[in-house]
Amino acid sequence: MSQRTERRGIHVDQSELLCKKGCGYYGNAAWQGLCSKCWREEYQRARQRQIQEDWALAEKLQREEEAAYASSQGSHPLPQAQSTPPHASLAPFSKFEEKKSNEKTRKVTTVKKFFIPSSRMTSKKETQESKTPSPSITRQSSMETDRVSKDFVDFLKNLRPGREIHKQCRAFIETMFNKKDLGADELSECVQDFYQNLSDRLLSHFKGSSESVEKVMDQVEKYIMTRLYKNVFCPETTDDEKKDLATQNRIRALHWVTIEMLCVSMDEEIPEVADNVVKAITDVIEMDSKRVPRDKLACITRCSKHIFSAIRITKNEPASADDFLPALIYIVLKANPPRLQSNIQYITRFCNPSRLMTGEDGYYFTNLCCAVAFIEKLDAQSLNLSPEEFERYMSGQASPRRPDSDGSWPLGGSPSGAPTDPGAADPVLAQLRQNLEVLSSLSSRQEKLTEDARSLQSELLSWEESVRREVQDILERYPLEIRPPPLAAIDADNVGDERLPPPLTPQVFAG
């Protein structure tokens, strides 16, 4: 007898969606439950501490190496011709630094990363590329990029500081193209700093009108991220692609999860509900085709609204937050969106932070992150299954849509072994019987249609034969006589001869 565990259920308190610091904004799993503002503050403080620790470590290593070098110089004096040049201690320090780079967990090279440009040798081709403008900047871009650039210029024409905004955006894009060696977090920090600085200047220009600032920032985000998309989406310095594959395989392994297990309040037998489900799946899949973070958020919002509509139609009442999250999990499992983790990380890193912290876009995005986190941690208790059943379903040994091989789901019993009505043993079996009845009725209707078609065919053949006989009888009773027209004399006057040109005028000769 299969003993079921107590159901934990799918429930997320609304307070859990907010920032852990209690600022009132929506948090995010990628930011460790903090909002964008609090996360940036924590990140900057941590980075400053790291920089100070790295500098302290670098100074300590340099002092130790200088002391070691001085002692070695004292025990083995060099000839006068080979006197030590000024600042010679820096040379052994660089060697010592290279030696220690594989032994220390926090390396001096971290300091170089933040304060000096990379000292790696660049090839002639790379040097030439760094001097010449990027193809996307020199108008050798896609049609979409050209269209977005034109729309951005047209939008700025109506603004007084439009020329300055366009100049700053182009300069920022040029700067970002020269920062290919930075990690995803550093690239995100650069973009977010640009958003913040430009937003502050616009806020002073529009005299505190946040609505006007948001309109401009939306266009700025669209222009910048369309240009930078190929460079910052799923960069090679991150493990986003690895996470995408892991999430995709996880969703594939959970293909057996039914709508009943998730307690989703949607009846797909209702045509309007099924239509909303299809639209929701289409929207969440379409998210990957968008290049701007705001457009990706719009896909998530449309998907969520279709889910709310499906729940409302099913329940005949407005949907609650407890109804929405299980339905969103079900949609994600059915859709298995491509590059889901990369898209979430891209939105998190490069979207205008105000959209993620407040409003319906931020709410729906936070719920999507919760749904993905739930799928990654989904277990037997979440689905009201025993651990044994969950393992059999995950391994493919059994399926909730069919009886397993050891007979633990008999036709006349429940999964726990209690005898029940055969029709109520499994809702899948009941659905199967209903489908068989529908198929039987369709078969009888098909046979009737076949009979009617054959009868119509015989009637057409008989009608064709009767018509043919009638025509034959008429031809026999009234035969047709075709008489040739009388021949005119060759010298007879023809009417209309005067209209013919001279070469064709008939000639009359006397006999």
Side-chain angles (χ1 to χ4, degrees):
M1 180 179 297
S2 176
Q3 181 66 31
R4 292 182 182 272
T5 57
E6 182 182 355
R7 182 177 180 81
R8 184 172 63 191
I10 303 173
H11 173 75
V12 174
D13 193 273
Q14 294 302 295
S15 61
E16 298 179 14
L17 302 179
L18 300 178
C19 177
K20 290 183 178 180
K21 289 214 167 181
C23 62
Y25 296 119
Y26 291 120
N28 192 285
W31 298 326
Q32 300 177 4
L34 302 176
C35 68
S36 176
K37 181 180 178 182
C38 297
W39 167 252
R40 289 190 65 204
E41 293 175 355
E42 290 290 332
Y43 176 79
Q44 290 175 355
R45 281 196 291 266
R47 190 173 69 170
Q48 290 297 327
R49 287 195 300 267
Q50 184 68 37
I51 291 174
Q52 293 174 0
E53 292 175 1
D54 289 337
W55 270 117
L57 177 63
E59 293 174 355
K60 178 182 177 182
L61 293 176
Q62 185 170 2
R63 287 195 300 268
E64 292 177 354
E65 181 60 22
E66 287 177 351
Y69 181 75
S71 62
S72 64
Q73 290 292 93
S75 58
H76 300 284
L78 294 175
Q80 294 294 328
Q82 299 179 357
S83 59
T84 305
H87 306 291
S89 59
L90 296 179
F93 172 70
S94 62
K95 295 180 181 179
F96 181 75
E97 178 185 354
E98 182 180 0
K99 179 180 179 181
K100 290 290 184 179
S101 62
N102 297 327
E103 301 175 359
K104 299 292 184 179
T105 56
R106 285 180 288 182
K107 309 174 184 60
V108 180
T109 53
T110 306
V111 180
K112 293 183 178 181
K113 180 180 179 182
F114 288 107
F115 293 96
I116 60 176
S118 176
S119 59
R120 65 180 181 90
M121 297 299 293
T122 57
S123 63
K124 185 180 295 183
K125 181 179 179 181
E126 291 175 336
T127 305
Q128 185 177 3
E129 288 180 353
S130 63
K131 293 180 180 179
T132 58
S134 174
S136 61
I137 303 300
T138 57
R139 303 294 297 171
Q140 298 177 1
S141 56
S142 63
M143 294 179 60
E144 181 181 0
T145 304
D146 292 338
R147 178 181 57 81
V148 170
S149 301
K150 182 179 181 302
D151 294 342
F152 185 59
V153 173
D154 293 340
F155 173 79
L156 294 178
K157 287 179 180 178
N158 301 323
L159 297 177
R160 181 178 300 176
R163 186 183 298 274
E164 183 63 24
I165 294 174
H166 187 259
K167 180 180 178 181
Q168 292 182 11
C169 290
R170 287 182 60 85
F172 176 72
I173 292 173
E174 290 278 4
T175 303
M176 291 296 291
F177 273 111
N178 295 326
K179 294 183 177 181
K180 298 179 180 180
D181 295 334
L182 292 183
D185 292 336
E186 287 79 11
L187 293 174
S188 173
E189 190 72 11
C190 293
V191 173
Q192 296 297 331
D193 285 341
F194 179 77
Y195 286 160
Q196 185 64 43
N197 295 332
L198 183 59
S199 178
D200 292 341
R201 289 195 294 269
L202 290 174
L203 196 61
S204 61
H205 172 76
F206 288 109
K207 299 179 180 179
S209 177
S210 58
E211 183 178 354
S212 301
V213 173
E214 285 297 325
K215 290 181 180 179
V216 177
M217 291 305 301
D218 287 343
Q219 295 298 323
V220 169
E221 176 191 325
K222 184 176 182 180
Y223 174 68
I224 289 177
M225 297 317 302
T226 301
R227 289 294 190 93
L228 299 178
Y229 178 77
K230 293 182 179 180
N231 296 79
V232 299
F233 182 84
C234 192
E236 296 180 356
T237 56
T238 65
D239 58 348
D240 292 349
E241 186 176 0
K242 182 179 179 181
K243 292 180 179 179
D244 287 334
L245 295 176
T247 301
Q248 190 175 51
N249 293 332
R250 175 67 173 175
I251 294 177
R252 286 177 179 174
L254 295 170
H255 67 91
W256 49 269
V257 176
T258 63
I259 195 171
E260 292 82 11
M261 292 179 179
L262 296 171
C263 297
V264 179
S265 302
M266 292 191 306
D267 186 3
E268 294 187 84
E269 295 296 326
I270 303 175
E272 194 172 355
V273 174
D275 183 58
N276 277 285
V277 169
V278 172
K279 289 180 180 178
I281 293 174
T282 303
D283 286 332
V284 75
I285 292 176
E286 187 182 1
M287 174 179 60
D288 185 59
S289 64
K290 304 299 181 181
R291 305 179 71 177
V292 183
R294 180 168 61 93
D295 294 340
K296 292 181 181 291
L297 276 179
C299 292
I300 299 173
T301 301
R302 289 197 303 269
C303 168
S304 302
K305 289 184 176 180
H306 286 308
I307 293 174
F308 272 106
S309 298
I311 298 173
R312 177 181 53 80
I313 295 170
T314 302
K315 299 180 64 176
N316 291 324
E317 61 182 19
S320 64
D322 289 338
D323 296 326
F324 171 65
L325 184 59
L328 180 60
I329 294 171
Y330 175 69
I331 293 297
V332 173
L333 288 175
K334 289 196 69 173
N336 198 357
R339 300 192 293 185
L340 180 58
Q341 294 285 359
S342 291
N343 281 287
I344 290 177
Q345 292 295 331
Y346 177 71
I347 295 172
T348 301
R349 292 167 183 154
F350 303 108
C351 184
N352 189 348
S354 62
R355 285 191 170 272
L356 299 184
M357 295 190 300
T358 58
E360 63 177 3
D361 288 343
Y363 174 75
Y364 294 138
F365 178 71
T366 304
N367 275 275
L368 177 63
C369 296
C370 290
V372 175
F374 178 86
I375 291 173
E376 293 174 347
K377 300 177 182 179
L378 187 142
D379 56 10
Q381 194 174 8
S382 303
L383 300 176
N384 196 24
L385 297 173
S386 65
E388 294 78 12
E389 289 172 335
F390 184 81
E391 289 300 325
R392 286 203 302 271
Y393 295 155
M394 289 295 292
S395 62
Q397 298 176 1
S399 172
R401 296 177 175 83
R402 58 178 172 81
D404 55 8
S405 58
D406 60 2
S408 62
W409 285 65
L411 184 62
S414 65
S416 60
T420 59
D421 177 63
D426 189 354
V428 178
L429 293 178
Q431 184 66 34
L432 180 60
R433 292 190 182 91
Q434 183 180 357
N435 292 340
L436 289 175
E437 292 176 0
V438 173
L439 288 175
S440 178
S441 63
L442 289 175
S443 178
S444 60
R445 290 175 58 187
Q446 181 69 23
E447 290 178 0
K448 187 176 182 303
L449 287 174
T450 303
E451 273 184 44
D452 293 342
R454 290 174 181 171
S455 175
L456 180 60
Q457 184 180 12
S458 61
E459 290 178 2
L460 287 174
L461 292 175
S462 61
W463 177 78
E464 181 184 3
E465 182 63 24
S466 63
V467 171
R468 188 184 63 78
R469 285 197 303 267
E470 290 180 4
V471 172
Q472 187 65 29
D473 291 343
I474 293 174
L475 290 176
E476 290 177 357
R477 279 187 290 174
Y478 305 101
L480 297 177
E481 295 182 6
I482 301 176
R483 298 177 181 179
L487 298 175
I490 191 172
D491 294 334
D493 294 335
N494 295 324
V495 181
D497 287 345
E498 66 278 358
R499 299 178 182 176
L500 297 175
L504 300 178
T505 304
Q507 303 292 324
V508 180
F509 296 94

